[in-house]
């Protein structure tokens, strides 16, 4: 009850309420942005196939032209791009990654599980996910599946990792 009242008071006077990471340590070079009130995105990651390799969040502009574009091209054009990468935690506890954003607004967010650690997406073994958690299948994901609105604070999302599942394409591990 006291916690709820504190959150109501903070919201009333315009303070940022920092979300809890559901028992997970907030990981990544941008962790301070999530624990300090943002603007940032806190992504809870679920459904990993295993605990090897690296986990990565990438932030893109929220438009078709720039979604999943080459990071070098985006950076040279002065467009939004940010990447946070961490080794996959060996323990089986919850995972929360933080990525800061330049300002409140709408962005596209991609999660990848680079299982072999080669820093290049391997269609056959690596995993991916987006905030909408719709089944990816065999096609390039639509921009709408990656969109996330970031307030003047911290946006939270849960992303379920998906891996190649035979002829049906990418889907969550059962």
């Amino acid at each position: 009850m006291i916690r709820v009242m504190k959150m109501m008071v903070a919201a009333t006077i315009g303070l940022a309420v920092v979300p809890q990471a559901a028992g997970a340590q907030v990981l990544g070079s941008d962790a301070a942005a999530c624990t300090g009130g943002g603007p940032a995105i806190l992504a809870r990651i679920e459904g990993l196939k295993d605990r090897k390799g690296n986990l990565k969040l990438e932030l893109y502009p929220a438009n078709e032209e720039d979604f999943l574009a080459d990071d070098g091209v985006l950076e040279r054009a002065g467009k939004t791009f940010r990447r946070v990468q961490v080794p996959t935690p060996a323990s089986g506890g919850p995972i929360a990654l933080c990525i800061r954003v330049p300002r409140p607004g709408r962005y596209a967010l991609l999660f990848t599980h680079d299982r072999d650690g080669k820093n290049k997406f391997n269609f056959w073994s690596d995993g991916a996910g987006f905030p909408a958690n719709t089944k990816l299948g065999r096609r390039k994901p639509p921009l709408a599946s990656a969109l996330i609105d970031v307030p003047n604070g911290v946006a939270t999302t849960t992303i379920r990792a998906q891996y190649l599942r035979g002829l049906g394409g990418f889907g969550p591990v059962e």
Side-chain angles (χ1 to χ4, degrees):
M1 178 71 170
I2 293 175
R3 182 169 185 236
V4 171
M5 289 174 57
K6 285 181 181 179
M7 289 173 45
M8 288 172 53
V9 168
T12 302
I13 61 174
L15 298 175
V17 178
V18 179
Q20 298 299 311
Q25 177 184 359
V26 179
L27 303 174
S29 57
D30 290 349
C34 285
T35 59
I41 300 167
L42 179 67
R44 294 180 181 104
I45 309 302
E46 296 180 349
L48 293 180
K49 192 171 196 173
D50 52 41
R51 294 291 185 131
K52 59 184 184 179
N54 297 307
L55 306 177
K56 189 176 357 178
L57 281 179
E58 292 183 342
L59 187 73
Y60 293 88
N63 64 64
E64 290 288 347
E65 178 186 346
D66 297 326
F67 178 50
L68 302 179
D70 181 82
D71 56 327
V73 171
L74 292 172
E75 289 172 340
R76 282 190 295 279
K79 296 181 178 182
T80 298
F81 178 81
R82 182 145 187 83
R83 178 182 294 130
V84 171
Q85 183 172 323
V86 299
T88 304
S91 71
I95 295 172
L97 296 173
C98 181
I99 190 165
R100 68 179 163 82
V101 301
R103 68 193 74 60
R106 178 169 274 189
Y107 297 92
L109 184 68
L110 163 67
F111 163 76
T112 56
H113 180 193
D114 175 19
R115 295 177 62 226
D116 62 11
K118 293 185 179 177
N119 201 27
K120 182 171 172 106
F121 191 78
N122 181 333
F123 182 84
W124 303 105
S125 67
D126 292 344
F130 297 94
N133 289 315
T134 53
K135 188 170 187 267
L136 298 176
R138 296 183 303 187
R139 71 197 188 300
K140 175 185 174 188
L143 171 65
S145 68
L147 294 177
I148 185 166
D149 291 310
V150 181
N152 190 12
V154 179
T156 60
T157 186
T158 299
I159 298 175
R160 183 144 182 87
Q162 299 185 42
Y163 301 85
L164 186 62
R165 310 269 304 155
L167 296 176
F170 280 72
V173 174
E174 300 302 328

